[in-house]
Amino acid sequence: MKLIDIIKSANSNLLRNKGRTFLTILAIFIGSFTIIATSGIRTGVNNYIDTQMESAGGEGYIEIMPKALQEIMQSMMSFGSSAPTEYNPETNSTEMTVISEEDLEKIRQIPGIQSVKGARNIEAEYITSAKTDKKYLISPQALPSDRITIDIAEGRMIDIGGSAPEIILQPGYAEVLGYQSDADIVGETIELAVTEQATMQVQLVEVKVVGVLNKSIINMGRSWVNVAAETEILDVLYAHMPESYRNMVMFATAEWDSSLGDEGLEKIKDDLDALGFTGMTFEDQVGMIKSFFDAIILVFTIFGGIALLAASIGIINTLFMAVQERTREIGLMKAMGLGRGKIFLMFSVEAVALGFWGSAIGVGVAYLAKLIINPVAADTFLKDLPGFNLMEFDISMILILVAVVMAIAFLAGTLPARRAAKKDPIEALRYE
Amino acid sequence: MSRLFSKKVLLLLTTCYILVYIMLLNKSILSIKNLTKTYGKKSSAFAALKGVSLDINKGESIAIIGKSGSGKSTLMHILALLDKPTSGSVEIDGVDSNQLSNKELNRLRNRRFGFVFQQFFMNANDTVLNNVILPLKIGGVAIRERKKRAMEALKAVELDDKAKNKAIDLSGGQKQRVCIARALVNNPKVIFADEPTGNLDSATGAAIEDLLFNLNKEKGITLIVVTHDAELAERCQRQLHIKDGQIIAPNADILKKGARV
Ligand SMILES: Nc1ncnc2c1ncn2[C@@H]1O[C@H](COP(=O)(O)OP(=O)(O)OP(=O)(O)O)[C@@H](O)[C@H]1O
Ligand SMILES: [Mg+2]
């Protein structure tokens, strides 16, 4: 029997019991669809993050925080499920969770580090302008290095070391502050309200808008100010308070010599570690975001995998029934000279065909879902993130899934196929 | 008598007999010797065949008759190389079947044997044509060729107008004719028929018999029929009575047969 005939008869045999075949394919479809759709979302998210990385981010800088602080953050994330930890002044004192002037100096001495700037904790109560009475929340932050590329939609980059206070705003402020458009607000002066921590009095700080950012998830809603603006805000924030408050730093940003390459970077990270700090590049941070998404995706993929496992039991069941029903036919074909191998192949091909149709339909429906969901998502919860396609498929991923599902189906089919191949033609013909 | 046959004539006749005997030996398509078949083991062992020897000649028609459970089907299955004997040998065209690999056995059955069963054994939901095509498909014949040959076979049983019908929609007699078409589609040397008329009324049965004997006569296909039907058995050139796994009243008198040829 030729292979093409085996494939054809396997397919027509599947059509003999349409209901049963349909249900088996449905089970495979559910598993395949779940995996394809979630991996499509994963690709969508990763692609978006990657394009964001091209416009934001940048190379040659490391964000530094004390290890003790990182541990506190991690223990907060474990929702108190860990047992109480004994106090250790070496690692747990408050002193260890901040970066002191001396620490900054030590970091500066690490070979490969070119400069370090501590991130002072600056806060603004609200933002307003001369054109409106309304007040809006804002979270300004000093841009620690001009190596950080930021995705500017309108205007220009702030002059970090410039003498005039400058700010690059998150998108959306222009309209609410009484301007026509982003282009309109660039060059205008707005007011940041800052509260004196000691007296709770609110003071207005005037800052010039030099640019407006593009929308992005990586930016985390921050508006960037230069050193001059930072200094004015700090002056208000910590007025009447000891100098040490104002100089308290929890995070720092260091510029490093990126010509040292990955090895040099590892060395710098090790040196930071020895000093009690952790250093993260932009890529590390993006990696964290990605691995967070990946964890969610993994859960769904496992669901899909479990569904596929259940579906393969369905394949085994379906084919055992088919072998039972077709006992006489198998006997007849064997009597007519069809070999064991070919009979095994016939039922295996049937299993593989079930796998193929289940996963192919899964791919097809996932593609339809993409066509429907992407525009809907872009209009609703992803409205603020232009260029974010929720689902994207890459062809190799699809081919791999279909191949894997077919392989699983083949494995599931070997049990019934073996039974069919082993049937004794005489007994099979006698079978009532 | 002794006066009638002079020594010369006697010598001549003996030579003739020996010659014919040798010719017939060469002509035997299937030959079995001391065949036994035992089912089960030890205490539950049951001997279905107890030493059967037999030669079947090319173009012969043979009826295997006997009571139910006597071992007719068992013998036929072994002759058709569907089953292996417990002891003894089966030779096909002078080749010991034990020497053949599974693949060769399959090929041999596919090319040289045709089967007709009492219960038809068709794929009920498939078309008549596809049912007839099946042996050719198994043999790996090209699509065009196999369609042509299947239509010829259907024509031979006068069912070419039903080619596109579903097998399930045919009458019993028609079904058996389709089975004959299927048995004949690969131009076999031997057709094995296990109770081919068992499920048919006598008129329809007679038509099926005519068909089988025509093939036997016109195409020289060897016919091996297992039957309960005395009339069908009578139409065969030779009758093999089986009782309790042995051939009784062996009228397999080759010399007598040879004389008739
Ligand atoms: N697989 C088997 N296991 C055990 N015994 C068997 C088996 N096949 C056949 N037999 C026994 O061998 C004997 C011969 O069986 P066989 O089928 O050859 O009879 P038969 O002459 O064809 O009968 P019928 O006319 O009813 O078809 C029977 O007694 C049967 O019970
Ligand atoms: Mg029988």
Side-chain angles (χ1 to χ4, degrees), chain A residues 154 172-176 178-186 188 209 212:
Chain A
E154 202 64 58
Y173 282 106
E175 282 81 1
V176 297
Y179 296 89
Q180 300 289 326
S181 66
D182 287 345
D184 220 23
I185 200 173
V186 171
E188 298 295 319
V209 178
V212 177

Side-chain angles (χ1 to χ4, degrees), chain B residues 63 237-241 247-254 256-257:
Chain B
Q237 288 168 321
R238 186 145 64 118
Q239 291 78 33
L240 232 54
H241 289 268
I247 297 181
I248 54 163
N251 67 345
D253 186 350
I254 291 155
K256 194 176 111 194
K257 266 274 132 63

Side-chain angles (χ1 to χ4, degrees), chain B residues 64 72-80 115 192-194 224 226:
Chain B
I64 302 173
K72 304 184 295 291
S73 296
T74 307
L75 177 61
M76 193 200 88
H77 291 148
I78 292 174
L79 281 170
F115 294 94
F192 294 93
D194 197 347
I224 299 172
V226 169

